[in-house]
Amino acid sequence: MLRRSKMPSPLGLTATNVTHVFGGKEPVVALQDFSLDVAPGEFVAIVGPSGCGKTTLLHTFAGLVEPTDGDVRVGGERLTAPRRDIAMMFQAPTLLPWKTVLGNCLLPRELAHRVDDADRDRALELLAWAGIGGFADRRPHELSGGMQQRVAICRALMGDPSVLLLDEPFGALDAMTREQMNVDLRRMWADSGVTTVLITHDIAEAVYLAERVVVLSGRPGRTLDVVDVPLPHARDLSVIETPEFAKACARIRAYFAREDSHVGV
Ligand SMILES: Nc1ncnc2c1ncn2[C@@H]1O[C@H](COP(=O)(O)OP(=O)(O)OP(=O)(O)O)[C@@H](O)[C@H]1O
Ligand SMILES: [Mg+2]
């Protein structure tokens, strides 16, 4: 299990009446009146059709986009710019090809200050925890896609975040790798206790990973439902066989019955 000593306390995240309109000749309302309270240490997944504003929403949670209306608070403080303790992981692993796995992991520390031995120890600990401890000196191209995603997760956690934001992190992976990554991610979340918000198109992935699933409408994204996932805290893949899992998936899937919604399992 990962040491928790270096992890700051997880912080809650609150979005209140968030609306975002992208300006231009033809303004696009990406999000409308979105509100959500994520408790400290909670894992929330957000699903919704393509183009409904999920990435925009996550960017407002990261302080990368200032909403046109409403506000986002982290630990009660209004978010006006990116913060070091909010980590974001993108769909592509976005590793620097010329740096080793260890070097990529250390990047947040490098940007913050000079890297010291404690940082190196921490990165190696994270890599071992993610099951890629033997690859610290390799370059990204020597790793599989799933292993690269693990490095990206380690790099995100390297900043000891209070909040972890994941935008379809496993979208590009094959089904089997993805399943294993989900098991690992759930375990990593349980170990680190970091407040986590995951965007995904995959309903089963959302239900397997999260404590609650927010269902968004087509653009502009509005909340259609918030589904509590009644599964145990410690989850292995056997939960997928349970009636509770099937019921939660069916409830969410019913919102996306139209063939062109691009939300699937
Ligand atoms: N920088 C931008 N300027 C103008 N419009 C934008 C910008 N970014 C996103 N949009 C528009 O806002 C809407 C929501 O985009 P967003 O990327 O948040 O959707 P999404 O739900 O993440 O989609 P996907 O599931 O395909 O990733 C889209 O109509 C998109 O065209
Ligand atoms: Mg997106």
Side-chain angles (χ1 to χ4, degrees), residues 30-34 52 214-225:
L31 281 169
Q32 197 163 344
D33 208 20
F34 179 89
C52 78
V214 177
V215 183
L216 287 185
S217 69
R219 186 169 62 80
R222 274 168 298 191
T223 305
L224 295 174
D225 201 357

Side-chain angles (χ1 to χ4, degrees), residues 99-120:
K99 280 191 179 280
T100 62
V101 163
L102 180 63
N104 271 285
C105 250
L106 287 169
L107 207 61
R109 308 310 293 163
E110 219 174 281
L111 296 174
H113 63 83
R114 267 186 59 194
V115 174
D116 60 22
D117 284 346
D119 291 329
R120 255 179 231 103

Side-chain angles (χ1 to χ4, degrees), residues 51 53-56 91 167-168 199 201:
K54 301 182 297 298
T55 295
T56 307
Q91 185 162 359
D167 192 358
E168 305 202 36
I199 300 289
H201 278 111

Side-chain angles (χ1 to χ4, degrees), residues 248-264:
C249 288
R251 176 166 160 183
I252 298 166
R253 199 172 292 115
Y255 290 100
F256 306 111
R258 282 169 52 227
E259 271 176 25
D260 60 346
S261 66
H262 306 294
V263 176

